[in-house]
Amino acid sequence: MARYFKSRVLLPLLLLIFFFLDGIMATIMPGFVGDGAFRMDSACLMMAFILFALNLEDLLPLYMSGFVMGFLYDLYYTEILGIHLFLFPLAVYVTHLFKHQLPTNLYASWLWTVFIEALYDQLMYFIFRMLGVNFSSYGSFLVAIFIPSLLLNGFLAFIFIWLLRHLSEWIESE
């Protein structure tokens, strides 16, 4: 019963914390970057989905939370409905497919998280470019947004890997 409660109630609440952490990071990061030539976009919620998918066995609550959090993320942050609604569960699915081929250590988890983050950022750029929301060139995107964001998310991944691994073990314990 406790395991059911932790996976069905506490896991979505933890993901909701990461949802709000993305907004907090978006608010405080412009003050750290400087003159505004660079922009760091955190992807804490995407990292949480990837790392929970690497560490949990029961992924059904993660898929359901992915659809709900993706819908909320689209409504609150991007205002384009449907992008994150499918990207979060897709990240969980792809991580689940490759999870058994990866060693279970810090570096493999970090590399996988950074790899998925890089794919996520590239995909978001091309989707927004295709929809006419983003008018910057690809080169300026790489220099001004992609590389700083990847550095920030790589740093955050080191912090979250340890935390979410222990939370996953606690969720799956009886």
Side-chain angles (χ1 to χ4, degrees):
M1 183 67 177
R3 183 177 179 183
Y4 180 83
F5 176 75
K6 288 189 274 187
S7 68
R8 300 299 197 263
V9 176
L10 291 181
L11 180 63
L13 289 175
L14 287 170
L15 291 168
L16 192 62
I17 291 170
F18 283 99
F19 173 81
F20 289 121
L21 187 61
D22 271 338
I24 293 168
M25 294 292 285
T27 303
I28 65 170
M29 286 317 289
F32 290 122
V33 177
D35 62 356
F38 300 103
R39 190 177 89 205
M40 292 181 169
D41 294 332
S42 67
C44 298
L45 185 58
M46 178 62 87
M47 273 188 271
F49 278 114
I50 293 166
L51 293 171
F52 275 131
L54 282 174
N55 295 310
L56 291 174
E57 292 300 319
D58 183 18
L59 296 180
L60 181 63
L62 210 53
Y63 283 121
M64 293 311 200
S65 297
F67 284 115
V68 172
M69 293 292 166
F71 178 74
L72 292 175
Y73 201 92
D74 285 336
L75 284 178
Y76 189 70
Y77 292 120
T78 62
E79 298 175 359
I80 300 172
L81 192 60
I83 296 173
H84 291 92
L85 176 71
F86 296 109
L87 279 181
F88 290 151
L90 179 67
V92 171
Y93 179 72
V94 169
T95 301
H96 175 69
L97 285 178
F98 288 98
K99 166 167 85 170
H100 300 292
Q101 282 81 23
L102 297 171
T104 57
N105 60 30
L106 172 82
Y107 301 112
S109 299
W110 182 79
L111 281 173
W112 181 255
T113 304
V114 169
F115 176 72
I116 295 294
E117 289 290 329
L119 286 177
Y120 167 74
D121 287 342
Q122 297 288 323
L123 184 61
M124 292 306 296
Y125 170 78
F126 287 116
I127 288 172
F128 286 149
R129 179 80 181 204
M130 190 172 60
L131 293 174
V133 177
N134 187 355
F135 296 107
S136 66
S137 69
Y138 186 66
S140 64
F141 162 74
L142 286 177
V143 172
I145 299 170
F146 179 70
I147 293 173
S149 297
L150 200 58
L151 290 172
L152 172 68
N153 290 323
F155 173 72
L156 291 174
F158 266 120
I159 297 168
F160 292 153
I161 286 171
W162 180 84
L163 175 69
L164 296 181
R165 178 172 290 149
H166 289 288
L167 281 172
S168 298
E169 290 171 0
W170 178 74
I171 288 171
E172 290 195 333
S173 69
E174 288 298 324

